[in-house]
Amino acid sequence: HCAGLCAAAKVVMHGATVAGQVVNCAGAGRWLMLDEATVEEVAACYHAPLLAAANMCRAFTADMKSRHAGAFVQVQSPGGVTSWGGSTAYISARWALRGLTLALQADLRDTGIQVQEVMLPEVDSGYWLHNPGSRQRVPWLGKLLGVPTISARKAAVYVARAIESRAAFSCFGGALPLMTELNLLLPRFISRLISWSACSYSRCSRHTQTRHAAMKRHACHAAMRTRIKTACPRLHYRLLTLCPAAY
């Protein structure tokens, strides 16, 4: 993935197009508790947005420095300023993206390069289709307080507005800017409220235990069918004919 990003950056820099603003809005990985996720699922959350954004910025920084112009725009989630249960790797990756943004702002100060962070509410995109079960873990408090779900087109409009403002941090989406301001003043209180409306550890654990128990029953059932088929094929096919659903 990193090699592909670097190759794409070289094509842009050696072509007729000049990269004025680089927008990092990639996201990947299911919302899972750490003990629910596989090693690959944890890695996916860090590959995008964190590693993808870091390598994209690295690829274009030298060119932008030589021109004393340009901007890196990191599209951020509310998970980058607070936390809730049920999405450990996702939230920690978003906090890491915020750290990358702050570090880049310090690195590129007085170079003519803008580093901006744009926080958006839930976007109705293909992300949810590719990461099943994640949408059910979105805290419902935001909807209750008037934070909307926006389209990808609306998200693009907000990002363009943020770029035009040249602000280091921008936040859009109904009541989300107000909640972000409150989070700065009362971070522990807001985090508790959001966590209360999200997927708690106990609920996630019960779901995981139920799923593991069902998988175990299915494995035992399959082993029993295999033994019957090996020991008595006629009984196996008889049971399969008479009661296929139960057998």
Side-chain angles (χ1 to χ4, degrees):
H1 297 312
C2 295
L5 287 175
C6 293
K10 287 179 181 178
V11 169
V12 172
M13 287 185 289
H14 290 91
T17 305
V18 175
Q21 293 86 25
V22 175
V23 180
N24 294 306
C25 61
R30 294 175 62 199
W31 292 24
L32 296 167
M33 305 294 297
L34 205 55
D35 57 337
E36 293 178 306
T38 63
V39 172
E40 293 75 17
E41 286 172 327
V42 172
C45 287
Y46 293 116
H47 285 154
L50 179 60
L51 295 179
N55 283 293
M56 187 62 80
C57 292
R58 185 189 65 82
F60 285 100
T61 296
D63 178 64
M64 288 185 179
K65 278 184 175 180
S66 68
R67 294 186 286 107
H68 301 284
F72 293 117
V73 184
Q74 322 285 30
V75 178
Q76 183 61 283
S77 154
V81 295
T82 187
S83 62
W84 56 82
S87 49
T88 315
Y90 170 83
I91 288 179
S92 57
R94 288 291 167 180
W95 277 86
L97 179 64
R98 182 159 177 74
L100 171 67
T101 304
L102 294 174
L104 277 173
Q105 286 172 348
D107 285 345
L108 301 178
R109 187 176 291 120
D110 301 324
T111 63
I113 303 172
Q114 291 284 319
V115 182
Q116 299 175 268
E117 186 176 26
V118 184
M119 184 176 294
L120 300 178
E122 179 185 340
V123 178
D124 191 11
S125 68
Y127 173 85
W128 306 109
L129 295 176
H130 297 304
N131 298 281
S134 298
R135 200 164 207 165
Q136 288 72 24
R137 300 194 177 197
V138 175
W140 51 260
L141 181 66
K143 294 288 184 294
L144 183 67
L145 297 179
V147 178
T149 297
I150 62 174
S151 65
R153 183 181 293 274
K154 189 68 173 178
V157 170
Y158 284 148
V159 171
R161 192 182 299 173
I163 292 172
E164 290 174 356
S165 74
R166 299 177 65 86
F169 178 81
S170 302
C171 184
F172 301 95
L176 185 59
L178 175 60
M179 291 182 67
T180 304
E181 291 291 332
L182 288 174
N183 184 65
L184 291 173
L185 297 172
L186 304 165
R188 289 175 64 86
F189 175 70
I190 295 298
S191 179
R192 286 193 177 189
L193 273 181
I194 295 174
S195 296
W196 174 68
S197 71
C199 186
S200 71
Y201 187 84
S202 60
R203 280 181 288 171
C204 289
S205 297
R206 284 198 297 271
H207 174 72
T208 303
Q209 291 167 6
T210 302
R211 186 178 62 182
H212 287 174
M215 291 172 63
K216 188 174 180 180
R217 285 196 302 271
H218 179 75
C220 292
H221 201 173
M224 180 192 69
R225 283 200 307 269
T226 303
R227 291 195 191 99
I228 293 174
K229 184 178 180 180
T230 304
C232 188
R234 291 182 64 183
L235 177 60
H236 167 74
Y237 289 111
R238 184 71 172 169
L239 291 170
L240 197 59
T241 304
L242 292 175
C243 48
Y247 184 59

